[in-house]
Amino acid sequence: MTALLNKTALVTGASRGIGRATAVALARAGAYVLVHYGRSAQKAESVVAEIQMKGGRATAISADLGTSDGAALLAKQVRSIVGDRLDVLVLNAGISKSAAVADYTVEDFDKLFATNVRGPFFVVQQLLPVLGEGSNIVVISSLVARMVVGKPGLENPSILAYASTKGALETLIRNWAGILGPSGIRVNAVAPGVIDTDMSNFTKTEAGREVALGMQALKRLGKPEDVADVVAFVVSDGARWITGASIPVDGGSKL
Ligand code: NAD
């Protein structure tokens, strides 16, 4: 596949999970991929090695997107590598937390919003000078931006704060799409259901797996590659008339 030949791409949080699979998919489509990571240099280098082994091009770069200057530090590195043009920006890095409503702390809430919302907001702001006609931004949202999952109840653990970070991202993509559309930049979200990664460790138990399969029409766990292939499509010319959309990639969850 050569849909992204001669294009540059940045994937945040690409050392594992959905980010890793997305970096590999974009490189397979021909893009030169910047593999961003927070702390796992070794894992990020292994993604770069995998891409290079398959004949692709990639470089690992690091920044903690939970800090107030993380986005600016990341953008500075990106701009020094790509020069004046970034074709694809995938905002994937994120954290989650599950707790009973009464157990959330202000620190939990601030950390979730700093990493999942403030980080992407300022990465886009800082990279605007290198985004232009034909560039694409994709945010990894979630099914939970629109639906309540699990067993709602005061005693039960819930991911409501995490879910609201994804709701904020879905509002942002529509605003970005409106603001950046006249410049020829498309902005979309991809909203996965349960995907088998480190983040969804509840699926490692039989009970957790049953909960996930119980809400899906398709009866297997989603894989990072299921999401990555959709991201690769959304940033390709085949999706040229799609912007401001959130595309569910969830095996038909909660139909
Ligand atoms: P993951 O935990 O394996 O990946 C998250 C990535 O984000 C990691 O590479 C991590 O290092 C990076 N990251 C986290 N905090 C960071 C920080 N402060 N600075 C830099 N990098 C940071 O989980 P995943 O499932 O691959 O998650 C990827 C995205 O997909 C997330 O945005 C997540 O919310 C979303 N998502 C996941 C699922 C699922 O079921 N796994 C479902 C819907 C949405």
Side-chain angles (χ1 to χ4, degrees), residues 58-119:
T59 301
I61 52 175
S62 137
D64 182 350
L65 293 179
T67 60
S68 54
D69 60 353
L73 290 173
L74 174 64
K76 199 172 162 201
Q77 295 176 70
V78 172
R79 293 172 67 176
S80 77
I81 296 171
V82 303
D84 60 2
R85 174 79 187 179
L86 183 67
D87 299 291
V88 175
L89 168 57
V90 182
L91 296 160
N92 164 78
I95 53 171
S96 180
K97 171 154 185 104
S98 174
V101 172
D103 293 336
Y104 276 94
T105 64
V106 169
E107 288 74 26
D108 292 332
F109 186 90
D110 284 351
K111 199 173 167 205
L112 282 162
F113 271 80
T115 308
N116 294 5
V117 184
R118 186 181 69 189

Side-chain angles (χ1 to χ4, degrees), residues 209-233:
R209 195 182 145 82
E210 267 174 36
V211 169
L213 298 191
M215 68 176 183
Q216 294 175 196
L218 300 176
K219 301 298 178 190
R220 69 163 170 81
L221 286 183
K223 295 180 293 202
E225 292 74 17
D226 296 326
V227 181
D229 285 350
V230 177
V231 175
F233 167 70

Side-chain angles (χ1 to χ4, degrees), residues 13-19 36-40 63-66 92-95 115 140-143 162 166 192-200:
S15 63
R16 66 182 199 210
I18 293 169
H36 161 262
Y37 66 95
R39 289 193 206 105
S40 347
D64 182 350
L65 293 179
N92 164 78
I95 53 171
T115 308
I140 307 301
S141 175
S142 169
L143 159 87
Y162 165 77
K166 297 300 186 181
V194 178
I195 305 296
D196 192 7
T197 67
D198 290 349
M199 186 178 279
S200 56

